[in-house]
Amino acid sequence: MTTSTTRFRSWYRPMRARRPDEPHRTATPLELFFDLCFVVAVAQASGSLHHDLAENHLGHAVLSYLTVFFAIWWAWMNFTWFASAYDTDDDVYRATGLVQIAGALILAAGVPRAFTEADFTTITYGYVVMRLGTIVNWLRAAAGNPDRRATAIAYAVGVFVVQLGWLLRLALPDGWRLPAFLVLALADVLVPLVAERRGKTSWHPHHIAERYQLFTLIVLGEAILSISVAIQTGVDAGNPGLWGLAAAGAVIVFALWWLYFDRPGRLPPSSLRGSLFWGYGHYLIFAAVAAVGAGLAVAVDHDLHTAHVSSQTAGYAVAVPVAVYLITLWALHLRWKRGLGLVLFPIAAVLVLAAPWLPAPVPALAGLLFVLVAVTLLMRHRQSTGVPA
C-alpha cells in the first residue's frame, strides 16, 4: 500500500455499516464533544423555562419549552443513531460533525428569543445547519452500502424535504406557525419510520444505551447547577432556609440518577417499533430532568419572594416533571416487572403530584423519592435472593 493511499484513507474512508455486535463499542471523542456543546442548548432552555415559570407565564413556558427542547433532542438523537451505525472517524466525518456542532451552538443562541418573542428564526437556522451535515452523511452511507442504499437515500431525501419545510415556515403568518411546527415535527419523526422499512440500519444497542445514559447525565447536570445556585443565593442573601431546600433538591436529583441507572440497565429493543418507542420516549426523560432543574430554581425564587407564583405552583414546577420522569421511566424500562414492581412507579407519580399541597413541597418530594429508591433496592435484593417481591 502506497503512502498516498494511506493518507487518503486517513481523511476519507468508504462509509460502510458497522457491526451491531462489534465488541468494545463506546462513545468517541467527537461524540463526547458533541454532547458537551449541547450542554449550552440545554442550559438555555432550562434557564428560559425557569424565568417564564417564575413570572407565572405557565402556558407560554410549557409550550415554548416543549417546542425548543424538541429541536435540541431531535438534532442530538439523529446524530447519535447515525454515528452508532456508520461512524468512520475519518477526517470528512469529523468535519461534518463539527458543522453539526456549529449548528447546535447557533440553535442554542436562538433559545432566548424563541421563549421571549416566539422567534424561532435563529433556532431554525441552527437546526438546518445541523441537518445539512446529516444529509451529507446519509449520502456517504448510500454510496458505501449498496445493500442499504434505499434506506440511506430515503433518510437523505426525507431530511432534505423536511428542512425545506422548516425554512418555509419562517415566512408564514404568526397564527400559522404553531400548526406548521406540529406538522413538521411529526414529519421529522416519521422519516426514520419510513426509511427503516426499506432496511434496518445496523446501530449498536450497547453503544446507543451508553449514549442515552451520557445525555441523561448532561440534563442531570443542569439540575445540579440549580442546586449550586440555590446554595450560593442562600449564602448571599443570608437566608439559611435555602440550605434545606438545596439539600432536598440534591436528594431529588440523586434519586432521579439512581432510578435511571439502577442495575441492570435496559438496552433498546431490536424491533423497529420497540427501538422507536424507546428512543422517542426518552424525549420526555431528558425534557423532564432538565425541567426539574428549572423547577428547583423557581422554588428558590419563591422562598426569596422574587417569584410571582404561589407555593403550590412552585411545588408543581418540580412535581410535574418528576411525575413525567417516573411514568416515562416505568414505560420504557420497568413495565415488564411483576407484582409491586408493576405499579410502584405509577403510584409514586400520583403521590408526587399530591406533594405540592403539603406545607413543604420540595422536601416532601425528596422524601417520596428517597422512599421509592429504598423500595426498589429492597425489591432488587429480594429478587436476587429468590424471595418473592
Side-chain angles (χ1 to χ4, degrees):
M1 183 181 298
T2 65
T3 302
S4 60
T5 302
T6 303
R7 290 176 178 174
F8 176 78
R9 291 187 177 180
S10 69
W11 72 267
Y12 184 87
R13 300 187 184 98
M15 187 170 273
R16 296 191 176 94
R18 300 182 66 151
R19 289 170 45 197
D21 60 347
E22 179 182 339
H24 311 298
R25 180 75 167 93
T26 58
T28 65
L30 178 61
E31 290 176 309
L32 298 176
F33 187 40
F34 189 84
D35 288 358
L36 178 64
C37 293
F38 263 80
V39 171
V40 180
V42 173
Q44 291 276 30
S46 179
S48 297
L49 176 64
H50 160 219
H51 176 77
D52 265 18
L53 290 176
E55 294 298 321
N56 205 25
H57 303 153
L58 303 183
H60 181 268
V62 173
L63 182 60
S64 298
Y65 178 72
L66 292 178
T67 53
V68 167
F69 206 91
F70 171 84
I72 297 171
W73 160 78
W74 186 245
W76 175 88
M77 199 182 83
N78 278 265
F79 176 87
T80 296
W81 286 77
F82 180 89
S84 185
Y86 293 108
D87 184 356
T88 56
D89 199 33
D90 58 20
D91 294 343
V92 174
Y93 181 78
R94 289 187 174 194
T96 57
L98 294 177
V99 168
Q100 293 179 74
I101 289 173
L105 297 177
I106 297 171
L107 185 152
V111 168
R113 288 179 67 90
F115 263 86
T116 59
E117 303 175 24
D119 181 359
F120 282 77
T121 303
T122 305
I123 281 185
T124 301
Y125 289 158
Y127 185 67
V128 171
V129 168
M130 296 188 67
R131 303 299 273 153
L132 288 176
T134 302
I135 293 171
V136 171
N137 284 334
W138 279 118
L139 291 177
R140 287 189 63 192
N145 296 267
D147 56 334
R148 292 187 175 91
R149 183 165 296 160
T151 300
I153 291 296
Y155 268 110
V157 172
V159 171
F160 178 76
V161 170
V162 176
Q163 298 326 295
L164 288 179
W166 285 115
L167 290 173
L168 292 173
R169 174 181 174 270
L170 297 177
L172 293 176
D174 291 345
W176 286 87
R177 291 190 178 183
L178 179 58
F181 176 91
L182 297 175
V183 171
L184 289 168
L186 178 61
D188 243 339
V189 299
L190 286 177
V191 168
L193 180 63
V194 174
E196 291 289 326
R197 293 189 181 279
R198 288 163 170 77
K200 182 183 175 184
T201 53
S202 57
W203 48 270
H204 196 294
H206 289 277
H207 175 250
I208 288 293
E210 180 194 29
R211 298 291 292 117
Y212 273 68
Q213 290 167 5
L214 290 172
F215 202 77
T216 301
L217 291 175
I218 286 176
V219 291
L220 282 169
E222 293 305 314
I224 291 292
L225 177 61
S226 296
I227 296 169
S228 177
V229 171
I231 296 174
Q232 178 185 347
T233 304
V235 171
D236 294 342
N239 187 340
L242 289 182
W243 286 94
L245 181 61
V251 171
I252 291 172
V253 177
F254 295 165
L256 299 183
W257 173 86
W258 194 291
L259 294 170
Y260 188 91
F261 292 94
D262 189 34
R263 298 175 296 269
R266 294 279 290 174
L267 298 178
S270 58
S271 65
L272 176 59
R273 175 183 292 183
S275 60
L276 288 178
F277 179 76
W278 189 92
Y280 289 3
H282 271 78
Y283 165 74
L284 294 176
I285 292 281
F286 299 149
V289 175
V292 167
L296 290 172
V298 172
V300 171
D301 290 347
H302 176 268
D303 279 17
L304 292 175
H305 308 290
T306 59
H308 302 93
V309 294
S310 65
S311 174
Q312 287 76 24
T313 301
Y316 275 115
V318 183
V320 170
V322 167
V324 170
Y325 176 89
L326 294 178
I327 290 296
T328 308
L329 186 63
W330 170 81
L332 297 180
H333 291 180
L334 303 170
R335 287 181 300 136
W336 50 273
K337 289 196 172 185
R338 298 179 180 178
L340 179 60
L342 181 64
V343 297
L344 179 61
F345 276 62
I347 291 174
V350 172
L351 295 176
V352 162
L353 292 176
W357 293 97
L358 298 176
V362 175
L365 287 169
L368 283 171
L369 290 177
F370 179 86
V371 171
L372 178 61
V373 170
V375 173
T376 58
L377 288 175
L378 179 61
M379 291 173 57
R380 179 155 52 80
H381 174 71
R382 288 185 174 182
Q383 185 179 17
S384 64
T385 56
V387 180

